[in-house]
Each structure stands twice: as C-alpha cells, then as structure tokens.
C-alpha cells in the first residue's frame, strides 16, 4: 500500500492528461508552485509529469498530480501544512538564489561596461600614433 493510499485525500480529476491536470491546479489554487518531474512530496512520493509540473495550495490543502500505472493521471488534494511550509520555503530559497545571481551578473556587467568605456578611443587618436 502506497503512502498516498494511507492518507485522506480528495480526487478532483480522474484519468486526465498532464496538461488538463496542470490547468485545473492553476485555476483552482490560491498559490501555484512549479516543480521539476521527480520532485519528492510527502517524504516518499515522487511527482511524475510533463514540465512545468504544478503544485497548488488552497487553504491547508496541497493539490498535485498523481500517476497510477494503468489508470492514468489524477488531480488529488491532501491537507498538509508541513508540505505547504516546505513548498514555500523552497520557493523563497529559489528567489533568493536568483536575486544573488542577478546581482552578481549586474556587477560583472558594470565592470565590463567600465572596461569597455576605458578602452574606447576616438577616431583621431587611432591615426595620431602613425
């Protein structure tokens, strides 16, 4: 018996496509987070899907896709404040990392622009040395 079968869950869509599941989650969630296929949820369940894979939060419920072999893709909801906190923390880390990278690129760009400006010479200066 899998972890999901032991939890109290609600089914919202049955035997659907990944695209329809993502659209349902996007339209019916207060917050939407996108994860890569293979993202681990509820400690031992791995999200399967075609990127971008959406996870939604509605109240205290996490909406996600569940793929059951031979039965297809489902959209399920499970109450889990722990998983919601983990998703939000992951997103916050991702944003901070992106901000740090853009600041680093910005300082490198400024340095490159300063070097370029320092090396610019006038048309007349080119011919003075000859």
């Amino acid at each position: 018996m899998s972890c999901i079968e032991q939890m109290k869950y609600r089914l919202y869509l049955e035997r659907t496509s990944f695209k329809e599941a993502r659209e349902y989650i996007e339209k019916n969630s207060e917050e939407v987070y996108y994860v890569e296929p293979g993202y681990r949820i509820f400690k031992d369940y791995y999200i399967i899907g075609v990127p971008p894979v959406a996870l939604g939060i509605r109240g205290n419920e996490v909406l996600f896709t569940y793929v059951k072999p031979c039965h297809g893709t489902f959209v399920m909801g499970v109450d889990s404040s722990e998983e919601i906190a983990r998703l939000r923390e992951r997103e916050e880390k991702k944003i901070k990392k992106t901000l740090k990278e853009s600041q680093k690129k910005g300082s490198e760009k400024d340095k490159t622009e300063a070097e370029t400006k320092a090396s610019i010479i006038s048309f007349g200066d080119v011919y003075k040395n000859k």
Side-chain angles (χ1 to χ4, degrees):
M1 185 177 281
S2 75
C3 174
I4 296 297
E5 292 169 351
Q6 295 172 3
M7 293 182 188
K8 289 186 177 182
Y9 60 87
R10 288 168 288 290
L11 284 178
Y12 294 106
L13 287 180
E14 297 181 33
R15 295 181 173 96
T16 188
S17 70
F18 289 123
K19 181 181 178 189
E20 290 170 335
R22 179 177 53 245
E23 289 171 352
Y24 180 88
I25 291 169
E26 290 170 341
K27 289 177 185 172
N28 293 283
S29 300
E30 297 159 3
E31 300 173 48
V32 179
Y33 298 95
Y34 296 96
V35 298
E36 61 284 346
Y39 175 79
R40 197 162 82 181
I41 189 171
F42 306 120
K43 297 182 183 173
D44 60 353
Y45 170 70
Y46 294 88
I47 297 290
I48 299 172
V50 177
V53 179
L55 294 179
I57 297 174
R58 181 172 57 196
N60 196 37
E61 181 180 41
V62 179
L63 299 177
F64 61 97
T65 57
Y66 178 73
V67 179
K68 189 169 184 178
C70 301
H71 295 281
T73 303
F74 298 78
V75 174
M76 301 175 73
V78 173
D79 290 337
S80 177
S81 55
E82 298 87 22
E83 197 61 42
I84 290 171
R86 192 168 148 258
L87 264 174
R88 288 176 177 156
E89 182 180 318
R90 176 184 176 274
E91 189 69 15
E92 188 176 306
K93 286 179 183 177
K94 195 164 69 171
I95 290 170
K96 285 180 181 178
K97 180 181 176 187
T98 302
L99 287 174
K100 286 180 184 178
E101 288 173 358
S102 67
Q103 288 173 347
K104 184 178 177 183
K105 286 180 185 177
S107 64
E108 288 174 3
K109 183 180 175 187
D110 292 343
K111 191 184 286 185
T112 304
E113 285 178 2
E115 290 170 356
T116 303
K117 287 178 183 176
S119 65
I120 295 176
I121 55 176
S122 71
F123 183 76
D125 291 339
V126 172
Y127 293 102
K128 281 183 184 179
N129 294 335
K130 289 188 177 184

